[in-house]
Amino acid sequence: KTMLKYVETFVGLREIPDEITLCINLSLCTNHCEGCHSSYLSEDIGEELTFERLQELIKQNEGITCVALMGGDNDPNSIWRLGLLLESRYPNLKSAWYSGKQNMPDLSPELFFRGVPFNYVKLGPYIAEKGPLNERTTNQQMWKIDKNTGKSENITYKFWKNESKSSK
């Protein structure tokens, strides 16, 4: 049985542009990116991340505007279910998923047809020569999803210093 486990949480200001984000580092990572700064997250460690536990973490971190699930590629269906629960129970809280996969994962049909429950999705493995999200040479991309229209916008440029959309 697959499951989501988390190792630690922190509140960050840089992971999702313009948001105060509760970041939840998930273990059991299947990507094994060379040069990963958190390679310990590939291990089977941590506590199971149930929706009840997620609600407790949200309650303990008053003032956040977003919840980011960092990882979870081992069980994308569970990530999606958590996203759907966040969307329905916390309509004023944005949500994000950091995936190390190059493309959106295959999901079970009953989840796929319910649409993307996240406001932000980061895709792409870490490739040392290309650098992280805050490097212009990165292969990783951060997408902002408009849930009303279903349209997505690549906002990776927001991680780069002195960068604006017009100077791309």
Side-chain angles (χ1 to χ4, degrees):
K1 171 186 181 283
T2 54
M3 74 167 68
L4 297 175
K5 287 185 172 183
Y6 77 100
V7 179
E8 69 252 328
T9 66
F10 64 94
V11 173
L13 300 174
R14 297 184 314 178
E15 287 68 26
I16 304 297
D18 309 316
E19 303 293 344
I20 302 167
T21 305
L22 171 60
C23 301
I24 303 171
N25 282 334
L26 300 170
S27 62
L28 298 164
C29 181
T30 57
N31 298 315
H32 306 288
C33 302
E34 194 174 317
C36 174
H37 62 74
S38 303
S39 58
Y40 66 95
L41 291 175
S42 66
E43 298 170 30
D44 184 353
I45 55 176
E47 178 185 333
E48 185 176 0
L49 183 62
T50 61
F51 189 65
E52 293 72 26
R53 183 66 187 122
L54 182 56
Q55 288 178 297
E56 291 170 15
L57 292 169
I58 291 168
K59 193 174 180 179
Q60 291 166 7
N61 288 279
E62 217 175 294
I64 59 169
T65 61
C66 184
V67 173
L69 301 171
M70 315 289 276
D73 289 315
N74 68 305
D75 192 355
N77 288 314
S78 288
I79 286 285
W80 221 253
R81 280 186 200 94
L82 281 180
L84 289 165
L85 285 166
L86 279 169
E87 183 179 49
S88 68
R89 304 262 177 91
Y90 296 92
N92 298 323
L93 195 58
K94 293 185 180 142
S95 63
W97 180 29
Y98 261 60
S99 170
K101 298 291 185 201
Q102 194 62 51
N103 298 302
M104 291 297 277
D106 290 331
L107 297 164
S108 61
E110 86 271 4
L111 294 174
F112 175 79
F113 290 112
R114 290 173 72 181
V116 179
F118 299 101
N119 302 95
Y120 302 93
V121 175
K122 192 281 293 178
L123 292 172
Y126 173 72
I127 299 174
E129 308 82 66
K130 302 216 178 249
L133 268 175
N134 62 356
E135 297 287 333
R136 291 182 181 161
T137 54
T138 190
N139 61 294
Q140 299 177 320
Q141 297 181 333
M142 175 63 74
W143 294 89
K144 183 176 185 178
I145 296 136
D146 182 325
K147 295 202 193 166
N148 295 320
T149 64
K151 291 186 177 166
S152 57
E153 174 191 2
N154 185 335
I155 61 165
T156 311
Y157 70 91
K158 289 189 171 200
F159 290 90
W160 306 335
K161 286 187 173 53
N162 303 322
E163 194 71 21
S164 69
K165 191 173 184 177
S166 60
S167 64
K168 283 194 339 191

